[in-house]
Amino acid sequence: MRPHDDNERPPIIFNDYMNCLMGDSNEENVAALLEPVAKTGAEYFVTDAGWYADDSTWWDDVGLWEPSQKRFPSGFNVLLDKIRSKGLIPGLWLEPEVGGVRSIVASRLPKEALFQWCGRRIVGKDTFQLDHRHLKFDYNIEVTQYTGIDGSFSAGAAHLEHQRAYLVWQMDHSMLSVHSLQSTSDQQDPALYAAIAAALPTAVVLEQSATWAYPQPGWSDELNTFTVVNSLLRRVYLSGRLDKLSPDQLRLVVEGMNVYKRIRLHLKSTHPIWPLGFPQWHDDRLALALITQDNGIYFAVWRTGGTTDKDLPVKLAEGQALTTAKMLYPTRPNTKAMCNTTSGVLSLKPPNTVCARLFHVI
């Protein structure tokens, strides 16, 4: 991996898309989020999809990448200044490898810049696909089309060249060796996201694994805790309707972000173990433990069903003894945890509902 400051001190990123504005960003919506986002301790505020589109059908209008004057009549720079005034660093979502069928950009680009066959551009998901030999960035469509540019009628040869360009940046270790952040999933159900979060260390190192936490005002405290735990042992990708949370709900999020700031410096030096085995998609109990070099174990446990009582084997480094397990998040004492120092077992009794907990075992 290329050295990067983000890997040493992973910042908390708020992104206004997932289970939040969902592409409906404008002056009012973004402004309403700024104060609660700042209260959480987030360090970045990313304005996601839609900021360039005058109407709600923002997907097939991508391509020009100029701020919508209809959405931001005061000017986009005014919005960026408001974000900075809250102590946040502004960011923007871009996906320049596609051009929407309604975008004027498609008519401006040379024909060899887009996927085509027999001289005709190929349309997929209401967009034209940019050939990655010309440009590349974020990627949210399946690469199932073919192209025959430069007079070649060998779809395989042309696609092979495209894929070689694509491999420079996609989610593999070539890309991860030079970039500091990888969004891991757009899964919108926190209970389903848990299996992804628990399994992530098999594919991406934790200091690069951006995982969504998206609290909602209509969710219980347990479910909001659950979505926060999903992100705490990796890169926090915070979202959700923070502007509509009650003061108590927001405090729960702030509490989680404060915990993250205490443990994030240890993430790079940890290695993972799975006390309940590798996560399976429909498991009702999941566990991920991160063993640090000199600060014990950070232990995340998720429950989506099954019995409440569970014994989890905990293995410390050779020569270390298991002594205590402190619940880091949430702090309210409604989960019983007991360490057996002889057997090296952590016994838990969480609430009989969908829930998640983060422990520090030393």
Side-chain angles (χ1 to χ4, degrees):
M1 289 169 54
R2 183 179 64 173
H4 197 286
D5 288 345
D6 278 7
N7 297 333
E8 304 300 327
R9 182 182 174 275
I12 297 174
I13 300 169
F14 180 87
N15 181 299
D16 69 14
Y17 184 78
M18 188 56 62
N19 288 355
C20 187
L21 299 185
M22 301 296 289
D24 190 27
S25 60
N26 57 43
E27 284 186 8
E28 293 182 0
N29 289 343
V30 173
L33 285 163
L34 293 181
E35 185 64 28
V37 169
K39 287 181 178 179
T40 68
E43 290 138 315
Y44 285 80
F45 188 106
V46 176
T47 302
D48 207 285
W51 57 270
Y52 46 80
D54 286 341
D55 55 36
S56 60
T57 55
W58 46 265
W59 175 250
D60 62 0
D61 196 29
V62 295
L64 192 58
W65 305 112
E66 292 182 357
S68 167
Q69 295 182 2
K70 184 176 180 180
R71 289 178 183 250
F72 305 99
S74 300
F76 207 60
N77 284 334
V78 172
L79 175 72
L80 299 180
D81 287 340
K82 286 183 179 179
I83 294 174
R84 295 186 185 99
S85 72
K86 298 296 183 180
L88 298 161
I89 300 171
L92 280 179
W93 173 86
L94 296 169
E95 191 164 351
E97 89 281 359
V98 297
V101 294
R102 290 195 300 133
S103 173
I104 63 174
V105 172
S107 63
R108 296 178 178 177
L109 291 173
K111 71 173 187 177
E112 63 270 14
L114 300 171
F115 271 28
Q116 57 184 287
W117 191 252
C118 295
R120 293 186 177 183
R121 289 175 174 175
I122 298 171
V123 179
K125 204 177 177 180
D126 295 324
T127 59
F128 300 111
Q129 168 67 50
L130 185 72
D131 192 310
H132 285 122
R133 290 171 288 185
H134 292 260
L135 185 62
K136 54 269 188 186
F137 218 155
D138 185 17
Y139 203 68
N140 279 329
I141 65 174
E142 295 180 5
V143 190
T144 56
Q145 301 99 346
Y146 42 84
T147 184
I149 296 175
D150 299 329
S152 170
F153 287 93
S154 169
H159 209 286
L160 176 61
E161 293 180 15
H162 164 79
Q163 290 293 339
R164 284 171 173 166
Y166 177 57
L167 285 172
V168 174
W169 65 272
Q170 76 170 58
M171 185 177 168
D172 69 357
H173 293 101
S174 294
M175 187 278 291
L176 293 171
S177 69
V178 296
H179 295 290
S180 67
L181 182 71
Q182 173 64 55
S183 181
T184 56
S185 177
D186 278 355
Q187 173 57 247
Q188 292 182 261
D189 184 336
L192 293 179
Y193 211 142
I196 300 171
L200 274 175
T202 65
V204 188
V205 295
L206 296 170
E207 60 267 31
Q208 290 179 306
S209 306
T211 302
W212 292 106
Y214 31 60
Q216 301 296 313
W219 288 357
S220 67
D221 284 353
E222 287 294 356
L223 194 53
N224 280 331
T225 296
F226 195 103
T227 189
V228 171
V229 170
N230 283 345
S231 70
L232 288 182
L233 293 184
R234 47 201 54 85
R235 292 291 294 276
V236 173
Y237 225 23
L238 184 61
S239 193
R241 294 313 304 252
L242 304 190
D243 55 322
K244 297 184 180 296
L245 298 183
S246 70
D248 285 343
Q249 288 174 322
L250 186 59
R251 276 193 290 271
L252 189 62
V253 181
V254 173
E255 179 185 309
M257 297 305 102
N258 288 338
V259 167
Y260 182 72
K261 287 185 176 181
R262 296 204 306 269
I263 70 177
R264 62 182 173 182
L265 297 180
H266 298 286
L267 292 181
K268 186 179 179 181
S269 63
T270 64
H271 69 270
I273 59 174
W274 289 268
L276 299 179
F278 287 114
Q280 303 295 314
W281 187 245
H282 294 292
D283 286 351
D284 54 26
R285 296 296 291 266
L286 300 159
L288 171 64
L290 301 182
I291 302 178
T292 70
Q293 291 181 344
D294 55 8
N295 198 39
I297 298 177
Y298 295 114
F299 208 131
V301 182
W302 296 265
R303 178 186 181 274
T304 59
T307 60
T308 56
D309 294 13
K310 194 68 178 180
D311 289 344
L312 302 171
V314 180
K315 184 178 181 180
L316 298 178
E318 187 175 353
Q320 287 184 297
L322 179 66
T323 55
T324 62
K326 177 183 178 182
M327 193 166 73
L328 291 182
Y329 182 75
T331 57
R332 58 184 183 278
N334 65 343
T335 296
K336 295 180 180 179
M338 183 174 62
C339 284
N340 187 319
T341 58
T342 302
S343 62
V345 168
L346 175 63
S347 298
L348 301 179
K349 188 177 178 61
N352 188 20
T353 186
V354 173
C355 60
R357 298 291 185 264
L358 178 66
F359 292 91
H360 186 203
V361 180
I362 54 175

